[in-house]
């Protein structure tokens, strides 16, 4: 028999992503709906160790659904990696009367949640919050859709310059070890080539493809490079290589960086966050623990945290083929 939950703690951890605030709002309001208390934990696990809790009610999360970042702040906590740090965090939660946790973050945050709940009697539920979409058990993580829209807007702008000056642009996008962002924005932004970690194109094929597009009458080109791509050491090395082997193009590099993580969440991310928050709280109330909520076939589903962490989020092979066809 699972214990009765009277108070849930919610925290954001790891890198921020658009939609985290909408997720906090959903958790808080679902708690209010079910007449249970909710506290926000400031700066993720670090705030748990410091004992920094904010009581939250339905009204305290007004006006945040459209805000990027996280009102609770986020952090990476070294102390939480130690048994002493986690014990301190547990003692603080007990003092505060917190019976269960909703952790909004990436795979590292979920690992921390798993370790914590195996050591102490504390049910945990994860909400995947990262723009990289690199978590198994959901087709979309919170913030991914917003990041795609942000990057596509920037590609459109860079294309204006590329075509005005007949230039070749290498645009590096985030995504860590997976190519979800690169593949999608590459197709949506009409890129000539998309370099992703899952598919090693090789430098020769890249040159061949750029020659082909030049010969087909294109005067400018955009190549999207996922930050985890292994074809060159980095995007600047790619530029040097193409500079050396292709005099036809003036080559430029644009590394988009952290702007991809900010901004107001898209409609999709706001709806996803709301659904995930409801599912997370109601699953805890049903006595479940150690799961991540996710979206699979447009249905809210639960994946055990260990599978969410270990499983690989796979690239859409059909999209890869579409991209190949579009770049002919
Ligand atoms: P992002 O996708 O943005 O990197 P993340 O959740 O993967 O987000 P991490 O920095 O890897 O971010 O993890 C967040 C926090 O989770 C860490 O700072 C640490 O406090 C905690 N954590 C991660 N791994 C462990 C672990 N093995 N044991 C205890 N805590 C951990």
């Amino acid at each position: 028999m699972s214990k009765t939950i009277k108070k849930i703690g919610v925290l954001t951890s790891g890198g921020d992503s658009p939609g985290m605030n909408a997720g906090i709002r959903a958790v808080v309001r679902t708690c209010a709906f079910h007449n249970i208390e909710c506290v926000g934990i400031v700066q993720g696990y670090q705030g748990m160790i410091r004992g920094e809790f904010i009581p939250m009610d339905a009204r305290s999360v007004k006006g945040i659904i459209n805000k990027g970042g996280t009102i609770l702040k986020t952090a990476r906590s070294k102390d939480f990696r130690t048994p002493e740090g986690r014990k301190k965090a547990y003692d603080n939660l007990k003092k505060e009367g917190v019976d269960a946790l909703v952790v909004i973050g990436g795979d590292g945050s979920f690992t921390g949640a798993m370790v914590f709940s195996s050591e102490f009697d504390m049910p945990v539920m994860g909400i995947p919050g990262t723009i990289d979409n690199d978590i198994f058990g959901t087709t979309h993580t919170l913030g991914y859709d917003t990041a795609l829209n942000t990057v596509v807007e920037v590609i459109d702008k860079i294309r204006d310059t590329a075509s005005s000056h007949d230039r070749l642009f290498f645009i590096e996008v985030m995504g860590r070890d997976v190519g979800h962002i690169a593949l999608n924005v590459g197709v949506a932004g009409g890129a000539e080539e998309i370099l992703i970690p899952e598919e090693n194109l090789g430098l020769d094929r890249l040159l061949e493809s750029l020659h082909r597009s030049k010969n087909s009458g294109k005067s400018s080109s955009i190549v999207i490079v996922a930050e985890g791509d292994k074809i060159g050491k980095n995007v600047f090395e790619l530029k040097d290589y193409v500079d050396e082997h292709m005099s036809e193009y003036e080559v430029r590099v644009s590394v988009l960086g952290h702007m991809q993580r900010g901004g107001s969440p898209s409609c999709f991310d706001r709806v996803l966050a709301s659904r995930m928050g409801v599912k997370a709280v109601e699953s805890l109330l049903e006595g479940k623990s150690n799961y991540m909520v996710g979206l699979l076939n447009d249905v809210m589903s639960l994946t055990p945290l260990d599978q969410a962490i270990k499983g690989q989020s796979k690239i859409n092979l059909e999209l890869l083929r579409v991209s190949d066809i579009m770049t002919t």
Side-chain angles (χ1 to χ4, degrees):
M1 214 7 217
S2 58
K3 63 176 183 175
T4 310
I5 291 173
K6 296 198 187 96
K7 194 177 204 176
I8 288 179
V10 57
L11 61 100
T12 48
S13 169
D16 68 307
S17 70
M20 280 186 162
N21 279 329
I24 295 166
R25 174 182 179 269
V27 169
V28 171
R29 292 215 167 147
T30 309
C31 287
F33 179 83
H34 288 286
N35 289 316
I36 55 168
E37 285 184 78
C38 187
V39 286
I41 302 167
V42 178
Q43 280 194 327
Y45 295 128
Q46 203 53 36
M48 240 158 88
I49 294 170
R50 283 200 309 268
E52 214 175 315
F53 304 116
I54 307 172
M56 301 188 93
D57 61 19
R59 295 287 73 73
S60 62
V61 287
K62 67 176 187 222
I64 65 167
I65 194 169
N66 58 334
K67 301 276 191 296
T70 157
I71 58 161
L72 289 176
K73 313 266 186 192
T74 183
R76 299 185 202 273
S77 168
K78 274 198 192 132
D79 297 338
F80 197 73
R81 292 177 183 272
T82 67
E84 299 75 33
R86 293 193 293 274
K87 173 75 172 65
K88 231 189 247 176
Y90 179 71
D91 290 344
N92 286 331
L93 289 177
K94 280 289 101 183
K95 221 189 301 164
E96 182 66 27
V98 173
D99 307 304
L101 287 176
V102 175
V103 175
I104 308 177
D107 56 352
S109 303
F110 294 163
T111 307
M114 268 178 57
V115 172
F116 191 64
S117 97
S118 72
E119 289 173 341
F120 304 100
D121 179 25
M122 182 64 61
V124 294
M125 202 54 68
I127 292 182
T130 165
I131 66 163
D132 300 330
N133 209 34
D134 58 351
I135 295 182
F136 178 79
T138 187
T139 51
H140 291 75
T141 54
L142 269 191
Y144 170 56
D145 181 71
T146 305
L148 293 182
N149 289 305
T150 303
V151 176
V152 165
E153 206 181 315
V154 175
I155 294 172
D156 289 346
K157 288 179 174 149
I158 292 177
R159 187 175 285 288
D160 290 345
T161 300
S163 54
S164 301
H165 288 268
D166 288 353
R167 280 178 185 160
L168 164 64
F169 267 86
F170 283 104
I171 304 177
E172 187 191 277
V173 300
M174 282 184 168
R176 250 192 322 210
D177 298 326
V178 291
H180 292 295
I181 294 181
L183 184 55
N184 280 274
V185 300
V187 171
E192 274 60 53
E193 273 302 341
I194 305 166
L195 309 182
I196 56 174
E198 292 85 348
E199 195 198 42
N200 194 343
L201 191 65
L203 288 168
D204 291 341
R205 244 210 67 197
L206 173 65
L207 277 187
E208 199 184 294
S209 158
L210 291 174
H211 276 299
R212 206 180 330 114
S213 92
K214 190 82 191 167
N215 294 337
S216 74
K218 288 185 186 173
S219 56
S220 66
S221 278
I222 292 212
V223 175
I224 301 296
V225 186
E227 66 179 339
D229 185 68
K230 310 284 187 303
I231 181 174
K233 268 194 201 127
N234 61 46
V235 73
F236 294 99
E237 202 179 69
L238 276 181
K239 172 197 180 312
D240 291 344
Y241 186 83
V242 174
D243 266 344
E244 209 178 296
H245 294 85
M246 262 189 100
S247 54
E248 305 95 305
Y249 276 121
E250 210 185 311
V251 190
R252 293 286 185 274
V253 168
S254 187
V255 177
L256 301 191
H258 283 83
M259 53 92 66
Q260 296 164 89
R261 283 213 329 226
S264 180
S266 64
C267 175
F268 182 91
D269 274 330
R270 295 180 201 191
V271 174
L272 182 65
S274 304
R275 294 174 75 185
M276 284 179 164
V278 171
K279 182 74 177 176
V281 171
E282 293 191 338
S283 300
L284 283 171
L285 295 182
E286 284 163 14
K288 299 194 173 87
S289 175
N290 267 288
Y291 287 98
M292 180 196 81
V293 302
L295 183 70
L296 294 174
N297 299 318
D298 201 32
V299 174
M300 277 296 114
S301 52
L302 296 178
T303 299
L305 280 179
D306 60 337
Q307 283 181 29
I309 293 160
K310 285 191 214 124
Q312 270 203 322
S313 99
K314 293 225 169 65
I315 212 82
N316 181 341
L317 294 177
E318 184 252 346
L319 193 55
L320 202 57
R321 183 163 176 270
V322 168
S323 120
D324 283 344
I325 294 171
M326 290 304 110
T327 53
T328 45

